[in-house]
Each structure stands twice: as C-alpha cells, then as structure tokens.
Amino acid sequence: MKLFVYSYRQRDEQGEFDAFSRETGIPYGATSLPPTPDTAALAEGYDAVTVFLTPVGREVLEGWAKLGVAFVCARTIGYDYIDLDACRSLGLRVCHALYPPEAVANYSLMLAMMLLRQVPYTLQCMRMQDYTLRGKLGRDLSGCTLGVIGTGRIGCTLAKNAHAMGAAVLGFDQYQSPEAAAFLRYASLEQVFRESDVISLHCPSTAENYHLINQKTIGRMKEGALIVNTARGDLIDTEALIAGLEEGKLRGAALDVLEEEHGLFYQNLSGVPVANRQMAVLRSFPNVILTPHIAFYSAESIHAMVESVFSFLSEAELGDTSCYEVQL
C-alpha cells in the first residue's frame, strides 16, 4: 500500500504523516497542490490518495482509476466535495476522517459568546480609540436559549458545554441522541427557530439541508436572534442572511464557512481583488464574524485526521473494513 497526499501542508501535517508512515509501514508521497485534472497524474504508482476540502470531480477520479488508485481518503469528517456517484461507478472506495468533536464545538461556543458580548463591534471601536460603553451592552449565555441543529458528536458536545454554563439548550435532529438528550431538550425545527436566542448549525450538506436558513425560516426566528455556522456554507442562503441583518431581524452572525468559499479559503489573496460580493458585504457589518473555515484547526484534530487515513489503509491492507468507510 502506497499513499499520495494532495494539499499537503509541511507546517502542521508533515510531522504527523512522517510518524504514522513509520508506524504503519505505509510510504507516502505528497504535493501542496490540490487534486485537479492536471495534478491527477502525480498519483501514478500509488494505491491511495488523500484529499482536503477541494472539489474532487469525475475527471480527476477517472484519472486516478486509470492509474490504479483504489482508495480516496478525505482528511475531513465531511466528504460532500467528492463526487460519490463517480466513485461508485469507477469502483473507488472512499473513507473520511474522524477527529475529536471538541475543536468545532468549542469554537462554535466561542463565536456565540463573542456575538452575545458584542466583541466584534467592541474591537472595531478599540481600533478607533472609542472607549465608551455605547453599543457594547452584551448578554450572558447563561440567560439565553441555544438552539443546536444537528446533534451528532459535535452538536452534542456543544450542548453539553453550553448546558454546563447555564444555557437552556434546544435541539433538533432527525435521529435523536440519548447522549445529547441529557444536555438539551429535543424540539421541532419550528420551535428551535421560534425560541432560540442563538442558533448553531451542525448538520451535513445534503439536498434536504440546502438553504435550511432562508428568508422564510429567518422570518420565524426571534427578533434579534444570532446565527453561528461552523458546518457547511450552503446551509445558509447568504442573500437572505444579509437581508435579515440589514433589516435588524438578526442581531448578528458568526460564519466559519461560506457558500462560495472554494478558491478563497486557504489561499493567500493579499492585494488581490476578491470576486465575492457577498463576503465583502458581510465583512462590512460590525455585528458579523467571518473566519476562514478553521473551526476544526487544532493540533489534536490534525493528529486525528492523519491518523484516520493510515488506520483505514492499514485495515484495508488486511482485508478488513473501517468505520471510516463511506457506504457508496
């Protein structure tokens, strides 16, 4: 078994890849470039590739299949950026990573608390040497209702932590978790929208969840509600979000993901005009926090993400299947 790594980052991944390669005996090659039709040939002679948050379409997958690649390993929990239909037709096996839920859950809680305490506006005022209290009155999380949409490992951890801080927590999920139910009260989606002071999204990107937050659902929310999204950008209709903020229906939003983030996040675009008007509008709002899809980005997560790839391939080498495998 030989592994080829795309979107390889020496600064934080090299040590992990080197260590797990020695431990498992699986050699690897790497490029900092993302997978594209032009870079697909770099995987010649390798049995598996691993990718990270860049679109992997049929043309790339066909190129790998012709080279004899058998496994496509996402170094992320989500794998919606991989064309699974093409993988199925080409006979490619796909796996995804698992990492501790604390990184994203704690980041989401931090963003919620920053919005509640008016931190974005306060920091903006500090830069202008405005040290008054005007416009800076915040709210305590312990006096709020937090709505968690998606109560898997991350949503459950967020609910646990928010509950420990005194918040009332409502949850919605198609599949209710007994573990999460110890820290939240399950409710209808309508009730979560209607009663939550803060709504935090932790559901996957699916056709059913596309634009879950839209003009109609924003209209059903409490006046002055806050929205936190550390899941996937297409869960929110960005134009509807902007309108809700402009009209004052929403008090603020914290977004670690955006609808059109591919080609922007993880790039150094200093001095480059960025062709994303929605992001430019959101950046202009004093009650909006934007971060570049880094909620997962902790030392613990990077270790676990790389470990997941090698664990899957080690098991596959033995003819076993892994819990990380995507059912195509």
Side-chain angles (χ1 to χ4, degrees):
M1 183 75 72
K2 293 177 64 179
L3 170 68
F4 191 78
V5 184
Y6 285 91
S7 304
Y8 179 70
R9 303 186 307 274
Q10 286 184 318
R11 65 184 176 277
D12 58 7
E13 289 187 320
Q14 182 175 5
E16 301 291 349
F17 273 103
D18 288 348
F20 283 114
S21 179
R22 288 192 300 268
E23 182 180 320
T24 61
I26 297 175
Y28 79 93
T31 178
S32 61
L33 298 172
T36 66
D38 293 331
T39 62
L42 296 174
E44 184 172 5
Y46 291 87
D47 307 288
V49 297
T50 177
V51 297
F52 179 81
L53 284 177
T54 52
V56 182
R58 177 172 287 275
E59 188 176 357
V60 173
L61 294 165
E62 287 176 346
W64 287 337
K66 289 177 182 177
L67 295 173
V69 171
F71 303 96
V72 179
C73 304
R75 298 199 301 284
T76 52
I77 292 177
Y79 44 85
D80 51 287
Y81 53 94
I82 300 172
D83 186 338
L84 298 182
D85 289 335
C87 290
R88 185 181 299 109
S89 64
L90 294 167
L92 294 170
R93 291 173 65 182
V94 180
C95 77
H96 67 101
L98 289 180
Y99 50 82
E102 284 79 10
V104 177
N106 292 342
Y107 196 87
S108 302
L109 186 59
M110 175 191 73
L111 292 177
M113 294 178 70
M114 289 177 71
L115 289 176
L116 284 166
R117 295 302 302 268
Q118 304 279 17
V119 170
Y121 178 65
T122 299
L123 293 177
Q124 189 179 87
C125 289
M126 291 291 289
R127 287 191 291 270
M128 300 298 293
Q129 301 188 79
D130 174 2
Y131 307 129
T132 68
L133 297 178
R134 181 180 54 86
K136 302 178 181 71
L137 182 65
R139 294 189 63 189
D140 289 328
L141 179 68
S142 56
C144 294
T145 297
L146 171 67
V148 180
I149 300 179
T151 60
R153 295 170 69 242
I154 293 171
C156 178
T157 302
L158 172 61
K160 177 182 178 181
N161 293 346
H163 174 78
M165 297 182 71
V169 187
L170 294 176
F172 174 81
D173 200 304
Q174 277 187 300
Y175 307 99
Q176 296 187 5
S177 159
E179 182 183 0
F183 310 108
L184 57 79
R185 176 168 58 88
Y186 276 106
S188 67
L189 189 58
E190 182 73 25
Q191 189 175 359
V192 172
F193 287 143
R194 187 175 63 248
E195 298 183 14
S196 299
D197 299 293
V198 184
I199 295 172
S200 193
L201 303 178
H202 301 283
C203 41
S205 173
T206 63
E208 293 76 20
N209 289 337
Y210 180 73
H211 283 182
L212 177 69
I213 305 300
N214 54 54
Q215 182 180 11
K216 288 183 178 180
T217 55
I218 289 173
R220 297 172 189 149
M221 294 177 189
K222 290 180 71 170
E223 291 293 322
L226 303 170
I227 295 176
V228 176
N229 187 10
T230 56
R232 285 292 184 266
D234 63 7
L235 297 176
I236 295 179
D237 179 341
T238 310
E239 287 298 330
L241 176 68
I242 290 171
L245 291 164
E246 289 176 333
E247 293 163 7
K249 174 68 176 181
L250 300 175
R251 185 183 173 198
L255 310 173
D256 186 52
V257 288
L258 290 174
E259 283 193 274
E260 303 296 333
E261 68 180 57
H262 291 304
L264 292 178
F265 292 169
Y266 311 131
Q267 310 295 318
N268 184 351
L269 300 177
S270 300
V272 177
V274 176
N276 189 313
R277 293 181 182 274
Q278 291 177 337
M279 185 171 72
V281 172
L282 289 168
R283 288 181 61 191
S284 74
F285 291 164
N287 55 343
V288 170
I289 301 171
L290 293 181
T291 58
H293 205 148
I294 58 170
F296 74 94
Y297 194 53
S298 70
E300 294 82 1
S301 292
I302 298 303
H303 175 86
M305 291 160 84
V306 177
E307 181 182 30
S308 291
V309 174
F310 283 95
S311 294
F312 176 84
L313 295 179
S314 296
E315 293 178 12
E317 233 178 354
L318 297 172
D320 199 359
T321 57
S322 166
C323 63
Y324 310 131
E325 186 166 16
V326 176
Q327 298 304 309
L328 297 175

